[in-house]
Amino acid sequence: MQREGVFREMKLRRSYEKPSERRAREKAEAVRRARKLARKRMEREGF
């Protein structure tokens, strides 16, 4: 359930989130995912 994001979504739905805050959060999450993916890719290639 944690991998699917159920707990994170429950936490987010507890209070209202302004659309601008939502966009900023989603952009930050995307950057974090991209960096993590790049880090894993570099690790796998042996750099």
Side-chain angles (χ1 to χ4, degrees):
M1 280 175 44
Q2 188 173 5
R3 198 173 333 142
E4 294 169 6
V6 174
F7 298 116
R8 188 182 328 120
E9 191 166 336
M10 284 170 41
K11 182 181 168 190
L12 287 170
R13 288 177 187 259
R14 279 189 197 137
S15 59
Y16 180 73
E17 186 178 26
K18 288 170 45 179
S20 60
E21 291 174 346
R22 180 180 175 182
R23 279 192 302 271
R25 178 182 51 81
E26 288 179 347
K27 188 175 181 180
E29 288 175 356
V31 168
R32 200 174 307 121
R33 274 194 311 272
R35 282 188 184 146
K36 185 175 183 181
L37 188 67
R39 199 168 45 238
K40 283 189 170 189
R41 189 177 297 132
M42 292 297 269
E43 196 174 284
R44 201 172 338 133
E45 292 174 3
F47 287 102

